[in-house]
């Protein structure tokens, strides 16, 4: 099967079934979602046991997808956002139990004065979108976005339920981080994790490395539509326009426009898999890691049609079962990308691709890869 496609990278002995599953995603993918290009990276105790890539970076199939190709990973970037916020907690610059309004007084308007940083990160703040439809161009004026969200009343009582904030959480978390640390998340990512090929706000000099995406052929299923889901996903201004444009790539939207490699994602998720360490460097203490990964709320989400156990910015595998069979944390992104950490095996993994599916969580292609991976362990 692997002879039918030109696969590059490394696959340690014993993991041949993962390579076979990776190849099968190109030739016989579940639901007919045959890959255009993809990369799957797996680290155990920080060492790569699988790092495979194949396909073409452009839809015309003229530019090979290589180990330096960047993929837009959309909400998978929220996992990186969560780790960055945890580094500010580790530094004593912010506390998960601290009201956001302590750092950002304007945010306390309209009944949000008690919303904590942990509640914000776990999608409990009641701000999954704008309560009144806006022009998508508003997203390219971050200060206008922040002012509107700070003044807006929550769409449910904060702290009583989660409701996934697809885009807004990135603006909100970035502002909390900036006020606490004096840097944006994009700046911190490049300064503190400079050897990882991960970018929140991509300089124009790097745009030539970005793969072209093939959009889903169907819309995701959200279940019964109500005003909360409408605001989060379906209004004309629910998300920025111009995705894939130079302006979009240069923006800092930690929740939605991270560009990177699967290896970079797997390495930074390794912080959560390896007791807070990255390449022998302590990034998070055991205490901060516990605060990052422990359950903050568990129940039916008001936006996504799933029952979710949320940590402080990470999806917990409990109940979802989309990150393998064990305790794990991670995040999925629009179209199928995924990054995860399994502390019991000191394993971290990430998957990126260019052909997007309508699955919001648990795309069948990375699930096939994870199934083969865990069978090989």
């Amino acid at each position: 099967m692997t002879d039918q496609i030109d696969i590059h990278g490394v696959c340690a002995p014993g993991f041949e079934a993962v390579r076979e599953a990776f190849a099968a995603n190109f030739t016989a993918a579940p639901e007919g979602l045959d890959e255009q290009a993809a990369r799957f990276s797996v680290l155990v105790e920080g060492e790569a046991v699988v790092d495979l890539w194949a396909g073409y970076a452009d839809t015309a199939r003229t530019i090979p997808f290589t180990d330096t190709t960047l993929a837009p990973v959309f909400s998978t970037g929220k996992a990186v956002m969560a780790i960055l916020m945890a580094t500010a907690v580790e530094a004593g610059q912010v506390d998960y139990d601290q009201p956001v309004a302590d750092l950002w007084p304007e945010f306390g308007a309209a009944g949000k004065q008690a919303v904590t940083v942990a509640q914000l990160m776990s999608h409990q703040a009641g701000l999954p979108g704008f309560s009144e439809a806006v022009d998508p161009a508003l997203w390219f004026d971050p200060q206008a976005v922040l002012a509107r969200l700070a003044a807006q009343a929550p769409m449910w009582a904060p702290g009583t339920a989660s409701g996934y904030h697809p885009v807004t959480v990135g603006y909100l978390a970035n502002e909390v981080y900036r006020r606490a640390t004096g840097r944006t998340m994009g700046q911190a990512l490049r300064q503190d994790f400079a050897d990882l090929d991960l970018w929140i706000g991509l300089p124009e000099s790097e745009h030539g490395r970005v793969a072209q995406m093939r959009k889903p052929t169907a819309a995701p299923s959200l279940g019964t539509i109500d005003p909360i889901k409408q605001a989060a996903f379906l209004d004309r201004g629910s998300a920025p326009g111009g995705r894939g444009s130079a302006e979009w790539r240069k923006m800092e939207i930690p929740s939605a426009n991270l560009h990177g490699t699967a290896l970079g994602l797997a390495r930074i998720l390794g912080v959560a898999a390896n007791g807070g360490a990255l390449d022998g460097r302590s990034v998070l203490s055991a205490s901060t890691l516990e605060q990052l990964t422990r359950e903050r709320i568990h129940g039916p989400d008001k936006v996504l049609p799933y029952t979710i156990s949320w940590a402080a910015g990470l999806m917990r595998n409990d109940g979802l079962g989309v990150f393998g069979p064990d305790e794990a944390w991670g995040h999925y992104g629009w179209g199928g990308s995924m990054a995860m950490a399994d502390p019991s095996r000191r394993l971290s993994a990430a998957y990126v691709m260019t052909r997007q599916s309508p699955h919001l969580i648990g795309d069948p292609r990375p699930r096939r890869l994870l199934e083969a991976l865990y069978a090989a362990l």
Side-chain angles (χ1 to χ4, degrees):
M1 183 181 294
T2 54
D3 294 336
Q4 298 177 24
I5 182 164
D6 193 9
I7 298 175
H8 304 270
V10 298
C11 184
F15 293 90
E16 291 84 1
V18 180
R19 183 183 174 93
E20 294 293 330
F22 185 79
N25 277 348
F26 282 83
T27 59
E31 302 178 16
L33 294 167
D34 290 0
E35 302 280 27
Q36 175 177 293
R39 187 173 183 181
F40 185 52
S41 303
V42 181
L43 282 69
V44 176
E45 296 185 346
E47 296 296 323
V49 296
V50 174
D51 186 22
L52 301 172
W53 61 89
Y56 293 89
D58 62 330
T59 54
R61 299 173 66 85
T62 62
I63 303 171
F65 190 101
T66 73
D67 59 334
T68 63
T69 301
L70 299 175
V73 300
F74 303 99
S75 287
T76 297
K78 290 182 174 75
V80 178
M81 181 181 80
I83 290 173
L84 289 171
M85 186 64 80
T87 64
V89 173
E90 178 70 19
Q93 296 166 312
V94 68
D95 190 290
Y96 282 121
D97 295 326
Q98 179 179 13
V100 172
D102 280 3
L103 291 162
W104 180 9
E106 296 86 351
F107 182 85
K112 303 191 301 299
Q113 64 275 8
V115 174
T116 67
V117 174
Q119 288 172 333
L120 176 68
M121 295 298 292
S122 55
H123 304 272
Q124 299 183 64
L127 300 172
F130 296 114
S131 53
E132 297 180 4
V134 301
D135 190 297
L138 179 72
W139 294 99
F140 292 91
D141 184 351
Q143 291 307 310
V145 171
L146 293 170
R148 185 179 284 260
L149 291 173
Q152 184 172 302
M155 296 184 181
W156 64 88
T160 62
S162 71
Y164 184 56
H165 295 39
V167 182
T168 55
V169 71
Y171 286 80
L172 298 168
N174 204 19
E175 181 65 4
V176 169
Y177 188 90
R178 185 190 68 80
R179 287 174 180 255
T181 70
R183 301 184 295 173
T184 66
M185 287 184 165
Q187 290 168 342
L189 182 61
R190 297 312 312 150
Q191 292 166 6
D192 299 347
F193 299 93
D195 62 328
L196 306 186
D197 206 356
L198 301 173
W199 307 79
I200 300 172
L202 188 68
E204 199 156 359
S205 60
E206 307 296 326
H207 289 194
R209 295 199 288 137
V210 178
Q212 294 179 337
M213 306 299 284
R214 180 177 170 183
K215 293 182 180 180
T217 57
S221 173
L222 294 171
T224 303
I225 302 303
D226 60 19
I228 292 173
K229 295 181 181 183
Q230 184 76 29
F233 274 112
L234 301 175
D235 282 337
R236 177 171 172 263
S238 290
R243 279 179 283 200
S245 67
E247 187 178 13
W248 156 264
R249 291 173 181 162
K250 289 186 288 187
M251 286 282 292
E252 279 197 34
I253 312 175
S255 54
N257 78 337
L258 184 142
H259 293 71
T261 65
L263 183 60
L265 288 168
R267 288 184 66 200
I268 200 167
L269 265 292
V271 171
N274 293 286
L278 174 64
D279 297 336
R281 170 171 68 99
S282 178
V283 176
L284 302 177
S285 65
S287 173
T288 302
L289 183 58
E290 187 278 332
Q291 293 181 73
L292 165 64
T293 57
R294 71 175 172 87
E295 183 174 277
R296 299 290 176 168
I297 193 164
H298 189 173
D301 194 84
K302 286 184 171 293
V303 173
L304 298 178
Y306 307 100
T307 295
I308 302 177
S309 171
W310 285 107
L314 298 173
M315 295 175 178
R316 303 176 81 252
N317 205 33
D318 184 22
L320 284 174
V322 293
F323 299 121
D326 299 330
E327 178 188 21
W329 318 294
H331 218 289
Y332 273 79
W334 181 52
S337 63
M338 176 280 302
M340 58 82 72
D342 176 345
S344 68
R345 298 177 183 270
R346 293 189 173 269
L347 177 151
S348 59
Y351 162 82
V352 304
M353 76 300 134
T354 59
R355 181 175 184 176
Q356 296 181 288
S357 82
H359 293 274
L360 294 167
I361 298 176
D363 185 289
R365 294 166 296 176
R367 293 189 72 172
R368 168 190 262 176
L369 295 171
L370 289 174
E371 182 178 348
L373 171 64
Y374 275 89
L377 292 170

